[in-house]
Amino acid sequence: MLSPFSPMPEIPVDFRAPPPSPVASGRRSTVTNDDVLTEFLEASLRVPDLVLPDKIFPKQKHLDAPPEVDFVSLCFHRDDALRDVVSDSLARIGCFQLLNHGIPSQLVDSAAEDAAGVFRVPHAKRAAATRSPEKPWGFEEYHAGEEEEEGSEEFVWCNEDELKSKMEGIWPIGYPNFSEKMEKLMSRIEMVAMKMMHVILKKKSAEFESENNKGNVCCIYKHGGDNTKDALANSLKYDVIRMLIRGTDYSHSLCFHLCNGSSQFHVYSKKSWLSFCPEPGALIVTAGDQIQMLSGGLYKSVIGRPIFKTEKKQSISMAFLCSHQKKKKNFGSHGSRSVSLSQQAILALILPLVYHVMIFVYKKLNS
């Protein structure tokens, strides 16, 4: 019997060394195997040479000019054949040309002439009227060197008191007269738009409302005088990239383009890029996202841009984006009030306390 202080006997451990790594048989050495492994790794880890396509944009297609539609015959004589022409054109390419629309050319030319003065406002003074998420009107945000590269600018006008106040502060002499002409021109465009919506969607004009003209805007474009092939190509690429990434910044039903003197008009969509020569004096109408939704996807929402190839240093075009919404009935004479999130949170905390107090009082009364 072993005593408690006697040493414990050693237990033998069966330990075997791992087998050696396999080496290729024959005369090849480990150095040769290393060379093979190196070649394999170099072939496996080599980055392939990627050949990108020269053109990343949809292929431009030249087409015959979209149908020319007489506004009076369409809206007042109720020409069903013309309505079918408009419907088919909106479904295929998302645009058509409107003639005999009744908007005086003198008013259009005068407004465009005054609009050129907007872009003569120095960049240093434009900060107060620069667009932002809170202010969807005014000048585009300016970066140094941008004007020289692209040669074009954009100004969004609308019938907002705040815009009027800001612009009169930085352009006190010319803006009041310009704004007055734009209000007249917008009013004429809106009358045409209401008639067109009635014809296109076969609904009464009273079913659509232009919310006191506050939802409609006009995008005024200054087209640069650099008409070289490279400059035009860069401008087109800029427009296409902007369309693919952002689409249009303003939800609308119809867009009415005034671009007298343009040599081409380009129509962009997610899948196509079309161009044609517009009819002089025509009002080019393109479909927006709202009319695509109202038509159940029948009509094609597109973005339109005119192209100017003239000897002028600059040209002005205007795009009026009209938004139409159905009228909503007011239930209650005083209107409805919304409850904020903070008020909802406070109410959620108070209700359980009230419940427990009522239970406590009930038990006390019945005890």
Side-chain angles (χ1 to χ4, degrees):
M1 182 174 181
L2 297 175
S3 65
F5 302 100
S6 59
M8 297 293 293
E10 294 183 359
I11 301 175
V13 179
D14 185 12
F15 178 81
R16 296 181 181 179
S21 301
V23 179
S25 60
R27 295 182 180 180
R28 293 183 181 179
S29 64
T30 56
V31 177
T32 305
N33 290 335
D34 289 342
D35 293 340
V36 173
L37 178 60
T38 301
E39 293 178 1
F40 171 76
L41 291 177
E42 289 180 354
S44 301
L45 300 178
R46 184 182 299 125
V47 179
D49 296 330
L50 300 178
V51 180
L52 298 177
D54 296 333
K55 297 181 179 180
I56 62 174
F57 307 110
K59 186 176 181 180
Q60 181 182 0
K61 297 180 181 179
H62 296 275
L63 74 159
D64 295 334
E68 301 171 7
V69 179
D70 186 274
F71 175 71
V72 175
S73 300
L74 177 66
C75 296
F76 294 96
H77 298 165
R78 305 296 177 88
D79 191 328
D80 292 336
L82 276 181
R83 187 198 174 281
D84 292 339
V85 169
V86 170
S87 179
D88 178 69
S89 185
L90 288 176
R92 287 188 302 106
I93 58 176
C95 76
F96 61 93
Q97 302 184 89
L98 196 63
L99 302 177
N100 197 19
H101 43 72
I103 300 176
S105 59
Q106 296 84 354
L107 176 60
V108 175
D109 295 338
S110 180
E113 183 178 354
D114 286 359
V118 173
F119 302 103
R120 288 193 286 268
V121 175
H123 288 283
K125 295 183 178 181
R126 296 183 182 185
T130 298
R131 292 209 303 271
S132 67
E134 296 77 21
K135 299 182 298 183
W137 40 253
F139 296 96
E140 278 189 309
E141 186 176 1
Y142 172 73
H143 301 283
E146 186 174 82
E147 182 182 9
E148 289 77 12
E149 291 180 2
E150 295 176 10
S152 61
E153 296 181 73
E154 179 182 346
F155 179 83
V156 176
W157 178 90
C158 63
N159 192 17
E160 289 281 350
D161 294 335
E162 186 178 359
L163 173 62
K164 186 176 182 180
S165 175
K166 298 289 186 183
M167 287 301 298
E168 287 181 350
I170 62 178
W171 189 30
I173 298 177
Y175 189 78
N177 187 42
F178 162 71
S179 183
E180 182 180 356
K181 293 179 181 179
M182 289 300 295
E183 289 177 10
K184 293 179 181 178
L185 187 54
M186 176 66 85
S187 178
R188 301 297 293 264
I189 292 287
E190 287 171 344
M191 288 191 293
V192 174
M194 294 293 286
K195 290 291 186 181
M196 293 305 304
M197 287 294 294
H198 165 55
V199 171
I200 293 173
L201 296 178
K202 295 183 178 180
K203 295 183 179 181
K204 295 180 180 179
S205 300
E207 295 185 27
F208 300 97
E209 182 181 22
S210 186
E211 295 190 355
N212 298 324
N213 303 341
K214 297 296 184 181
N216 300 335
V217 301
C218 176
C219 296
I220 304 172
Y221 300 98
K222 185 196 80 171
H223 304 265
D226 189 356
N227 295 321
T228 61
K229 184 177 180 180
D230 292 339
L232 290 175
N234 291 334
S235 177
L236 292 176
K237 288 182 178 180
Y238 173 78
D239 284 341
V240 173
I241 291 176
R242 184 175 183 271
M243 181 273 301
L244 291 174
I245 297 176
R246 297 167 54 188
T248 181
D249 295 330
Y250 302 93
S251 177
H252 62 285
S253 296
L254 296 173
C255 184
F256 297 85
H257 301 265
L258 292 170
C259 47
N260 290 341
S262 61
S263 56
Q264 285 186 336
F265 193 87
H266 290 240
V267 180
Y268 307 119
S269 68
K270 297 294 183 181
K271 297 181 180 180
S272 64
W273 173 10
L274 308 175
S275 63
F276 62 91
C277 297
E279 180 70 18
L283 193 60
I284 301 177
V285 185
T286 56
D289 59 306
Q290 292 180 12
I291 200 170
Q292 177 174 311
M293 180 185 64
L294 291 172
S295 66
L298 174 63
Y299 299 139
K300 186 177 182 180
S301 177
V302 298
I303 297 175
R305 289 288 185 273
I307 301 297
F308 290 84
K309 296 180 182 179
T310 64
E311 296 180 355
K312 295 182 180 180
K313 292 184 178 180
Q314 66 179 34
S315 301
I316 299 294
S317 69
M318 294 178 283
F320 291 82
L321 285 74
C322 295
S323 174
H324 299 87
Q325 300 181 1
K326 291 185 177 181
K327 292 184 176 181
K328 298 179 180 179
K329 296 181 180 179
N330 295 325
F331 296 96
S333 57
H334 300 287
S336 59
R337 294 183 59 187
S338 60
V339 182
S340 64
L341 291 176
S342 60
Q343 292 173 336
Q344 295 179 28
I346 294 173
L347 189 61
L349 293 174
I350 293 176
L351 285 178
L353 295 177
V354 173
Y355 171 77
H356 288 294
V357 170
M358 292 178 63
I359 294 296
F360 176 77
V361 173
Y362 176 78
K363 289 181 179 180
K364 284 292 185 180
L365 293 177
N366 294 328
S367 59

